[in-house]
Amino acid sequence: MAWVAGTAWLTGWLSDRIRRQKPFVFAGGLVLAGGLVLVALSPSVPVVYLGTAVMSLGYGAFLATDFALCPRVLPDPESAGKDFAVLNIASTLPVALVPFVAPALLAAGGFFAMFACLAAFSVAGALSVARVPDIAQEGQPRFAAITRTFS
């Protein structure tokens, strides 16, 4: 948790300084995936500890900047509370589903299959922000349109 908190603080601070969030979301997701692959291929317990530390660094970067990115893309300021509730469900639902999916993955390919699958989802999460505009890039044609007005 200390690695997650420290990385979240640092990447949040850096993100605010350079006014960009997507690079940190993307890098955090890829670093998290790298840690998951490291654990999946781990030959020993010390390598599992190393992989867990790498996962914590990636998760901290992803967490801090992804949650900062989310409010910018909400469609209506009047229903922000409802939208944040949906975002909360979206972030906690995978944690609730893993105990039900993990036995099938473990049966299919052991810990490698489970951690490789989690790494694939981490990469998908990182790539999912590709069309979200960074701060002050709203309205550019290569990004998805945001209907909310910013003041």
Side-chain angles (χ1 to χ4, degrees):
M1 288 311 298
W3 288 105
V4 172
T7 306
W9 178 84
L10 178 63
T11 55
W13 180 80
L14 284 172
S15 172
D16 289 346
R17 297 279 294 175
I18 66 170
R19 298 188 49 80
R20 302 218 33 222
Q21 296 157 334
K22 283 179 16 181
F24 297 101
V25 173
F26 185 72
L30 294 182
V31 169
L32 177 57
L36 287 161
V37 168
L38 193 58
V39 170
L41 300 173
S42 174
S44 64
V45 172
V47 178
V48 171
Y49 291 150
L50 177 64
T52 302
V54 171
M55 284 188 285
S56 298
L57 295 174
Y59 185 61
F62 183 87
L63 188 67
T65 52
D66 187 55
F67 281 151
L69 186 66
C70 287
R72 293 187 36 254
V73 297
L74 295 178
D76 181 19
E78 297 298 320
S79 65
K82 173 189 63 80
D83 294 333
F84 270 112
V86 171
L87 290 171
N88 184 47
I89 291 169
S91 66
T92 57
L93 188 60
V95 175
L97 293 178
V98 165
F100 298 102
V101 176
L105 291 171
L106 289 170
F111 283 105
F112 175 80
M114 184 175 76
F115 283 103
C117 181
L118 293 173
F121 278 116
S122 180
V123 170
L127 294 175
S128 70
V129 299
R131 293 204 12 96
V132 175
D134 249 323
I135 298 169
Q137 292 181 333
E138 294 88 358
Q140 291 185 10
R142 67 185 189 140
F143 297 114
I146 294 180
T147 58
R148 179 176 171 191
T149 57
F150 296 94
S151 52

